[in-house]
Amino acid sequence: MMRSGYRAFMIACAAALALMVFSVGTSACTSIALPPGSTIDGSSFATHNADSGATPYEMHKVPAAEYAPGTMYELLTIPQMSNGLQLYKVALQPTGQFVEQAEKTYGYIKSSIFGYVNEMGVGIGETTISGRRELSNQNGYLDITHLSMFAMERGATAREAIQVMGSLAEKYGYSDGGEELTVIDGKEAWIFEIIGPGPLWQVGDKEPGAFWVAQRVKDGYVSASANTPAIRQIEWDNKDEFMYSPGIMEYAIANGWYDPSKGEPFEWRLHFVKGSAPSNRRIWRVFSLLNPDLAPTLDENNLPFQVPVKYKVSAQQVLEIHRDHYDGTEFDLHKGIGAGPWGNPRRYYGTVKADGKSYSFQRIISVRNCEYLTLVQCRENVDPALKGLLWFSPVCPDAAWMLPIYASVTALNPTYREEAGDHFDFSRKSIRWAVGSLSTYMNLKYTPMYADMCKFRDKYEGAAFRNQKAVETAAVEILKQDRDAGIRFLTDYSWKLADSFREAIWETVDYLMWKYDMGFVTENGKVNGKGYPAEWIDMMFKYDFGSSDVRGWSNYVAPTK
């Protein structure tokens, strides 16, 4: 049991001076965790919306490696925010901080800032949960970006990946804000949550350099996190479903956050991390879509860690959840004056003032400023080359075209890397700029353009899902004869698919530019001058004639319905 009295006293004194060093880079992300018993094909799923708008979006393959005993690894700067630039332009500088290198590391797929899936079939999703300011620390070596990559390099299972992250953070210190990682393998899905040790901790202290908890998602259930902690009560003796760092409850008691004499159970979310609930509606929506019967009973301000799914789901169904805008609910952002005449559910977020009060739009899952979407699929009882699969697309989920990338590939298409460009470097060779251009253009006439885009997307993304079994069957036959040839087959498949997707997306942009040129709609051999929908005309007229200024209206005749 950790001795925390003196440190608790000092942290109370220093709390006012502690800096909030939270991971603002992806501070609006959504992540869903589904174990094998909750999915149609028996895979585990971990998802991630990278909802920052200025995060580096290039992707890389890190090869497996071996190191001599005693090798030390120097940490590099890996900020989650890069002001829209590729990371190598602004970061990746030596820190002078070293950790022990593992003698053997696994190959894995990563973005510039997170590890996502390794060759052992272990995968990750992420969301920032922030938490108590007084737990932030600037002396620790590690943040969530480093931890996610170490988990991929060193974890052969989800449990092992969690233990890797927890033990490294305890030893070398965690200097990031509160974070959640969804961690999966072919057998299990876990939620891992971590927060700092407070401002006084230094490397070499006997106390742990981080506090963390992990809880397993039960088969047949779903868990999700959206910028608020998911884990509630910790079952301290249940080693099958929980892992955690030492000293959590003692530290909470010493700092006055939890009083056992009151008789209430200790909660990690409530008493320790002190998570808020501004984004819980997204979690409510995930739970409601996967178990509609529960929707009326769920309190979005007091949501459970997990709920049972009503039916098993596919990867495509999970992606549709990420593309949701509260469709068909009272919160549907396709509706109202903010959606414009063409039912655009996207909003510019932040607090706005009206009538002397502050407001904000509903926070949806498919947020406009999402930098990329990932869905990691991990399987057991398949060829090792097929265990880990990343479905990836740049830009917001409703416009995303998801591409499969097997963790075993030897290299990624340059469209993800050196040709990816950044927010200051446009390139038609970049799949990021292809999807981004398509997404931006759809804002002109969202609902009809979205319907047209979906037809093109299904021809490619839909085919990638439909062909997955055939591709993997062919890969297995080649792998049986020649492992290297089988890996080349998967690499070439991923590479060529990225090229075909990129060109198809640019063709879709061209099609929309042609069809909706000058505000007309060209279809069926005709150029139609379709005007505003009747509902929108009614709203405009009522608003405009609510003042003495008719704002350009003349001889208005109300439309018939």
Side-chain angles (χ1 to χ4, degrees), residues 74-108:
E74 184 173 11
L75 300 168
L76 304 178
T77 56
I78 310 178
Q80 290 190 42
M81 295 290 282
S82 64
N83 192 32
L85 293 164
Q86 285 206 19
L87 197 65
Y88 75 88
K89 296 180 180 180
V90 295
L92 301 179
Q93 301 302 311
T95 63
Q97 299 169 340
F98 292 83
V99 302
E100 297 100 333
Q101 179 60 275
E103 294 182 17
K104 179 180 179 180
T105 60
Y106 306 119
Y108 66 100

Side-chain angles (χ1 to χ4, degrees), residues 91-153:
L92 301 179
Q93 301 302 311
T95 63
Q97 299 169 340
F98 292 83
V99 302
E100 297 100 333
Q101 179 60 275
E103 294 182 17
K104 179 180 179 180
T105 60
Y106 306 119
Y108 66 100
I109 306 293
K110 75 179 188 76
S111 70
S112 289
I113 57 175
F114 292 112
Y116 278 107
V117 61
N118 72 15
E119 294 171 346
M120 303 302 292
V122 180
I124 275 178
E126 182 271 350
T127 182
T128 298
I129 60 175
S130 298
R132 293 182 183 272
R133 296 188 180 196
E134 54 264 51
L135 285 172
S136 62
N137 178 276
Q138 298 183 69
N139 303 317
Y141 289 179
L142 301 170
D143 57 21
I144 202 64
T145 57
H146 292 108
L147 290 179
S148 71
M149 295 178 195
F150 284 131
M152 294 296 93
E153 286 185 352

Side-chain angles (χ1 to χ4, degrees), residues 190-209:
W190 289 77
I191 298 293
F192 168 83
E193 295 180 347
I194 185 169
I195 198 164
L200 300 178
W201 188 92
Q202 297 184 41
V203 176
D205 282 2
K206 294 181 180 180
E207 292 87 355

Side-chain angles (χ1 to χ4, degrees), residues 491-506:
T491 302
D492 291 344
Y493 171 70
S494 173
W495 195 294
K496 292 175 181 177
L497 207 60
D499 283 337
S500 66
F501 269 50
R502 183 189 62 234
E503 296 310 310
I505 295 164
W506 283 121

Side-chain angles (χ1 to χ4, degrees), residues 1-4 8 132 135 170 192-197 207-208 210-214 231-236 242-258 266-274:
M1 196 174 289
M2 185 182 67
R3 294 177 58 192
S4 53
R132 293 182 183 272
L135 285 172
E170 289 175 32
F192 168 83
E193 295 180 347
I194 185 169
I195 198 164
E207 292 87 355
F211 293 103
W212 61 271
V213 178
I231 298 173
R232 302 189 61 173
Q233 294 182 31
I234 302 171
E235 297 178 22
W236 306 101
F242 287 87
M243 293 182 276
Y244 48 85
S245 61
I248 293 172
M249 184 183 292
E250 295 89 340
Y251 199 80
I253 293 171
N255 282 280
W257 304 336
Y258 174 64
F266 174 79
E267 283 203 9
W268 163 262
R269 180 167 73 186
L270 174 64
H271 297 110
F272 203 92
V273 182
K274 193 68 175 178

